[in-house]
Amino acid sequence: MGRLKLNTGIKSIEEEPEERDAAVESNRADLLAYSINSEVSAVLAVMRRNVRWGGRYISGDDQLEDSLIQSLKTLRKQIFSWQNPWHTINPALYLQPFLDVIRSDETGAPITGVALLSVYKILTLDVIDENTVNVEDAMQLVVDAVTSCRFEVTDPSSEEMVLMKILQVLLACMKSKASVMLSNQHVCTIVNTCFRIVHQAGSKSELLQRISRHTMHELVKCIFSHLPDVESAEQTLVNGVTSHKHEIGGLDNDYAFGSKQMENGNGNSELDGQASTVSFGSNASTALVAREENAIGTGGGKDGLPFDLHLMTEPYGVPCMVEIFHFLCSLLNVVEHIGMGPRSNTIAFDEDVPLFALGLINSAIELGGPSIRCHPRLLSLIQDELFRNLMQFGLSVSPLILSMVCSIVLNLYHHLRTELKLQLEAFFSCVILRLAQSRYGASYQQQEVAMEALVDFCRQKTFMVEMYANLDCDITCSNVFEELANLLSKSAFPVNCPLSAMHILALDGLIAVIQGMAERIGNGSVSSEQGPVNLEEYTPFWMVKCDNYSDPNHWVPFVRRRKYIKRRLMIGADHFNRDPKKGLEFLQGTHLLPDKLDPQSVACFFRYTAGLDKNLVGDFLGNHDEFCVQVLHEFAWTFDFQDMNLDTALRLFLETFRLPGESQKIQRVLEAFSERYYEQSPQILANKDAALLLSYSLIMLNTDQHNVQVKKKMTEEDFIRNNRHINGGNDLPREFLTELYHSICKNEIRTTPEQGFGYPEMTPSRWIDLMHKSKKTAPFILSDSRAYLDHDMFAIMSGPTIAAISVVFDNAEHEDVYQTCIDGFLAVAKISACHHLEDVLDDLVVSLCKFTTLLNQSSVEEPVLAFGDDAKARMATVTVFTIANRYGDYIRTGWRNILDCILRLHKLGLLPARVASDAADESELAADPVHGKPITNSLSSVHMQSMGTPRRSSGLMGRFSQLLSLDTEEPRSQPTEQQLAAHQRTLQTIQKCHVDSIFTESKFLQAESLLQLARALIWAAGRPQKGNSSPEDEDTAVFCLELLIAITLSNRDRIVLLWQGVYEHIANIVQSTVMPCALVEKAVFGLLRICQRLLPYKENLADELLRSLQLVLKLDARVADAYCEQITQEVTRLVKANATHIRSLMGWRTITSLLSITARHPEASEAGFDALLFIMTDEAHLLPANYVLCVDAARQFSESRVGQAERSVRALELMAGSVNCLARWSHDAKETMGEEESAKLSQDIGEMWLRLVQGLRKVCLDQREEVRNHALLSLQKCLTGVDEINLPHGLWLQCFDLVIFTMLDDLLEIAQGHQKDYRNMEGTLIIAVKLLSKVFLQLLNELAQLTTFCKLWLGVLSRMEKYLKVKVKGKKNENLQETVPELLKNTLLAMKSRGVLVQRSALGGDSLWELTWLHVNNIAPSLQAEVFPDQDREQSHHKLGETGGSLVSDETDSVSSKESVHAEVAGTGG
């Protein structure tokens, strides 16, 4: 018949599948027939050699021929006649003859051995599989025959050979395809038989011992590898057994067999005797140690009944695995009973049996894996019996056993940790933490194995997280994560000893934990800065559970809250230990106890808080106060004594506090205990009084047995007698009391329990309590690969971790250890940055900087070479800068240490020249070449030579060239190859550091970090000193300032953040410098550069930036003089680039002040005037805000005698030309503004104009004729060309008084003063008087309407009179003599024509008329007749006679009238 065949994809002509299969089957049948035939021949051949069999065969007496030989011969006859396929032939037909030989006790070892070999060969031929006919019976036949194998022992070697063959066949049975047909019972029998051989091998050869143990391992692997497949098969099995329900009785899907609990909770497995035990024949004469009767397959685990017989005959599955596992655990228990039986000395128990059993158990767990949790009976064996033994063997002095125990626990953690929460806690607390520290008496080997195991656990990515979430964050559990992390960091510390393998091992564990955290960062969901936990009010929290332990959104906040509570409780415990009352008050204040104390919350505090002083707790609980009694009862009710022995319960109860010494207190405590115990475990006790009396009795027995002062000890009979009739008037069972008596004698009840947080030993009573607790504890939280709790965990372990890695790094001598430490440092940095733990990152940077050796001001002759030879220093340096570049956002105070390293590299000339430059500068320089002289050594020159400092060659190659003696004349020895190599290494290290990136990339730094970097630079620069500082200090200060300016320019968008610090630093430099130097140069030009670069971008800061330039005005005179030209060029560049961005009065005042100063500086004035020219010739830049300031600056340039007079003239032209701006503004105001705004601007424009003409007035007094005369013409232009500006009359009065009259008077004074410096004053006076006449005539109509016109006119007349009479250099000037009367005449004619000067009344006393002629006649008496030829001269003369001598008083009036004019102007202005 055809079988399914995989299509190979090649189409070809093939035989019919059925034909081909038939051919294959035929060949196979022939092969099998020949093989079996040869096996029969082999057995017969060996039998013939034996006298017993050979003799009968030779005699030919067929009747006497043995049945064994007959059956073999019969098989031989039939074998070639079978025509059917082999799987249709019952295997019993060809196996039975061999099995008969094996069973026969008449055959000797050689014959049995050959028969076993034949069966082995047939099993390995793959003839028999699950589809073969009657395969189940055949397999069982084989197992029964082999396990009942009997033979005569002739010599030891042949016996061992047979035993090996038995092992071989049994293993072949389990490995064959048909093994699935074996029943549970048969599998148990196979394992039992193998174990017997293992046991027998103890007295045999090494080879048999090894083979038997190996076979046992293979069997266990074979059986337990089947467990994952059983899960699906189980359902089928159970469904298939429904018809047998009446036989099985109460079987459910998961073999929940009825279990009978032993009295008082412990007791050993009972045997049911249903299953037959299998043993070797009498010849074997050996048996299983200590538990032979309880052979595998007869009983169902520690606390259960044996499996139902029907299940034991089912195809093998969980039942046999439970039996085998239970048997393996019982092998560990054997150790407890050493010497208790006559045959207990047959195996060396020191290491051998436990190691063997543990190895088998480990294999079973490895292969059973997570499937175990699906089978409660297997799981409960692991949770209780196995783990209890592991705890015991974990403290073994044998490193081999400890190592195996740790391997098993690691496997259990991997597969079953969700079911083993408290067991794992106990293992770490009672085994690993005790053994890994020498103070608990562990040997070095034990410490090393424990540490190796711990490191293995740490390499499991989620181990530490799960320990933290499940144990550290559980109020009732110990802080395993914290203890383990502390242990690792302490163990990595070499204290007064060289670095050892143990230190490196602990370091590996630490770094594994840290790197696990670092890896989780990339997986997202880094705790989005969970806020701190706060308790607003008390809510009962002791027994609260999370809603969903599998959803991080639920369990993460839940465990964080629990951890917070746990921490506060620890603080509360500390307070309580110092003063119980204050401790409870503190807990109430932190909402961990209710405002009004209730007994239950206090009881829970006593019961579950670690670290309480147990003496104080005992005193509180024993107190007679009503509240304390209530607390005591609530305290007792927190215990679970269900199904627990009385002595165990009492031990647990008294472990939690110290039993007070007073009898009344003891009574109260024991009453509470007895009530609770009786309620939960009445068992054979009649009432709670019986429990109380018995408890008292146990306490007394305990004191009697374990107090050294009691000489006569109580006997068992005494104890039983003392406890008569206490059980409700009846006696308690004798065996019950006996058990209690021996328990107390053997194991003292400690009434003074250990204090504090030590690592307790696991006692039987504690284990029972742990098993009780494990049923109620919160589910185990499985963590995924996300960083939910890493922030909290890292905060706990970061300090010790950094310290430990640093110490190892310090003490290490091998590069692989260095690299491990560096990996750790980088992981710490990554986590710190990710979780925003700035303090941790700063600590790390501080630690690392110490290792760079750059901070040591060492006396090494050639520090560069020393650095090149020091691998540790180079690695540390690269790491520091890697951290600075990667995680700079989160560095704070650490910048100071990093800068110290950078400064040291700078001093050694090792920094690349580009460190303080930035790309923006380069592009700007290319676009905007500097006008005039280059600014030497200022920030504009990008690749500053001073980066290497003037005293050193710049950059690393400079150092190198020094080394090569290229820049020195004196001959030196050539550098060695080692020195060259060291230099090369130094060069490569500095390149890897990317120091420049810290500053060029500073624009990406977070604000706080950037601010700290700037502060660090200011700090590193040091405070500038008045007087001489050392060249080295100045060099450092210059370098730091360059860097500070570079980062300021890079961060123009965040200048507000940096500005205050930068400004204050530069101000300190400027104000403390009295001589020109590189530092003040950098400060001043840096400041100008910052303003240039930032003004376009920061309008809101423009005033601040420009105000800062006032620092330049505060420079010491010598410093200012040295740099004036360059400063002016920079200011010019600033103005040209940013004039549109300077809008405020304050800003312009600063700029114009700087420009004004340059007016008198020979080198700087040209550039300064250039900037002023730029501002005043561009209408867009001359503004109401800067008008007065610019006019003032222009005046200073016009007055300045530096440079040619031509520039002063240009300055005057600028001033005169600015009137056009005033006119334009006035016109625009009328066009665009409202009436009120326009009036305000007009007033402002008037004041600006007045300032302009006042400025020109001052220049009119210049010594230089050309400048003076030009100033007068400019003034005339400004006074006459203002038609478009609507100036108020009052302003003109001010103008005459303050400007025109004052100027005329001053010029007159100069002319009369015979000053040699003033040339050709006559010409100036003529221009001045003409200006007076022209302005007066132009404004005559407006002025004539003023009430004070008379005084003004008299002022004009009096000036003309003075000018007419003036003597320049002692003689009158002809030109003036001609000009003044002419001007006066023109004026009078104009006044006449406009009707201003007319004789109004003969009687009215017209003062204007009379005063006019009074003055005019003093100047030119003929003028009146010329102007008014018709007037009566006599009348005039008469009038003049009466009013004679009034000129002086008029003059004084006109002068005093200034005040009233001012008042008018103020009035009109207001």
Side-chain angles (χ1 to χ4, degrees), residues 736-777:
F736 173 68
L737 292 173
T738 302
E739 189 184 340
L740 286 176
Y741 175 83
H742 288 295
S743 172
I744 299 295
C745 291
K746 198 165 69 173
N747 193 357
E748 179 186 0
I749 295 177
R750 297 192 177 277
T751 51
T752 53
E754 309 132 325
Q755 294 284 0
F757 303 92
Y759 305 117
E761 215 173 323
M762 182 50 71
T763 60
S765 57
R766 282 181 185 152
W767 184 258
I768 291 165
D769 184 45
L770 183 145
M771 293 312 297
H772 275 73
K773 280 183 186 167
S774 65
K775 292 169 189 162
K776 296 178 181 174
T777 189

Side-chain angles (χ1 to χ4, degrees), residues 379-411:
L379 184 60
S380 71
L381 276 174
I382 287 172
Q383 288 172 323
D384 191 352
E385 192 168 355
L386 173 63
F387 236 108
R388 188 180 72 238
N389 285 312
L390 291 177
M391 298 292 291
Q392 184 183 343
F393 282 105
L395 298 173
S396 161
V397 291
S398 159
L400 289 173
I401 290 180
L402 176 57
S403 180
M404 184 54 79
V405 166
C406 293
S407 298
I408 293 173
V409 176
L410 183 61
N411 274 323

Side-chain angles (χ1 to χ4, degrees), residues 133-383:
V133 174
N134 282 354
V135 66
E136 196 173 340
D137 296 341
M139 290 303 288
Q140 291 180 6
L141 275 174
V142 173
V143 173
D144 288 343
V146 175
T147 53
S148 313
C149 170
R150 296 166 183 276
F151 58 94
E152 292 177 0
V153 178
T154 51
D155 62 285
S157 58
S158 60
E159 181 191 359
E160 286 188 20
M161 180 270 296
V162 173
L163 293 174
M164 284 185 202
K165 294 280 192 297
I166 290 172
L167 292 169
Q168 217 175 6
V169 174
L170 291 176
L171 186 56
C173 283
M174 283 311 301
K175 286 189 170 180
S176 84
K177 292 176 185 173
S179 64
V180 291
M181 307 312 292
L182 287 170
S183 68
N184 285 304
Q185 183 61 58
H186 280 94
V187 172
C188 291
T189 307
I190 289 172
V191 176
N192 216 352
T193 305
C194 282
F195 183 74
R196 289 165 185 279
I197 296 175
V198 170
H199 174 56
Q200 272 185 283
S203 56
K204 306 272 192 284
S205 71
E206 180 77 12
L207 180 62
L208 180 61
Q209 289 179 35
R210 289 179 179 276
I211 286 178
S212 61
R213 288 174 180 238
H214 172 72
T215 307
M216 191 77 178
H217 268 282
E218 290 297 311
L219 278 176
V220 169
K221 281 182 174 176
C222 213
I223 294 163
F224 280 88
S225 62
H226 182 53
L227 184 61
D229 309 328
V230 168
E231 291 177 55
S232 52
E234 289 304 322
Q235 196 62 40
T236 329
L237 167 66
V238 173
N239 293 341
V241 206
T242 45
S243 56
H244 305 288
K245 281 263 178 176
H246 60 280
E247 297 172 29
I248 298 166
L251 176 72
D252 72 3
N253 287 9
D254 225 329
Y255 303 125
F257 305 101
S259 61
K260 181 188 78 177
Q261 197 72 33
M262 300 305 294
E263 281 191 346
N264 285 319
N266 40 9
N268 298 318
S269 309
E270 289 198 334
L271 307 175
D272 200 74
Q274 287 179 343
S276 57
T277 56
V278 182
S279 61
F280 292 106
S282 54
N283 296 331
S285 71
T286 45
L288 170 60
V289 184
R291 292 207 170 209
E292 180 188 331
E293 294 80 16
N294 185 13
I296 305 172
T298 60
K302 174 187 170 197
D303 56 359
L305 289 170
F307 283 101
D308 190 287
L309 192 57
H310 168 74
L311 272 181
M312 294 308 286
T313 55
E314 287 289 330
Y316 87 92
V318 177
C320 71
M321 294 182 205
V322 171
E323 291 298 340
I324 293 165
F325 204 85
H326 176 54
F327 170 69
L328 296 177
C329 292
S330 71
L331 284 181
L332 297 176
N333 292 340
V334 168
V335 180
E336 299 170 21
H337 307 292
I338 295 175
M340 289 183 70
R343 293 175 290 179
S344 59
N345 56 356
T346 49
I347 293 184
F349 277 105
D350 47 0
E351 279 184 348
D352 201 35
V353 172
L355 263 181
F356 176 57
L358 289 167
L360 294 173
I361 288 169
N362 198 29
S363 297
I365 291 165
E366 280 173 350
L367 292 159
S371 309
I372 293 173
R373 71 159 60 87
C374 305
H375 307 291
R377 294 192 70 172
L378 263 180
L379 184 60
S380 71
L381 276 174
I382 287 172
Q383 288 172 323

Side-chain angles (χ1 to χ4, degrees), residues 521 526-527 529 787 791 829-837 887 890:
I521 286 169
V526 171
S527 56
E529 277 312 295
H791 177 280
K830 183 178 180 181
I831 301 162
S832 309
C834 174
H835 294 294
H836 302 191
L837 295 164
Y887 310 116
Y890 305 99

Side-chain angles (χ1 to χ4, degrees), residues 150-151 298 307 325 479 517 637 641 863 869 980 1057 1132 1210 1230 1239 1442 1444:
R150 296 166 183 276
F151 58 94
T298 60
F307 283 101
F325 204 85
N479 290 334
M517 288 185 185
W637 254 247
F641 297 138
D869 287 329
L980 289 169
L1057 188 71
T1132 303
R1210 285 171 69 199
K1230 290 171 189 167
E1442 286 180 3

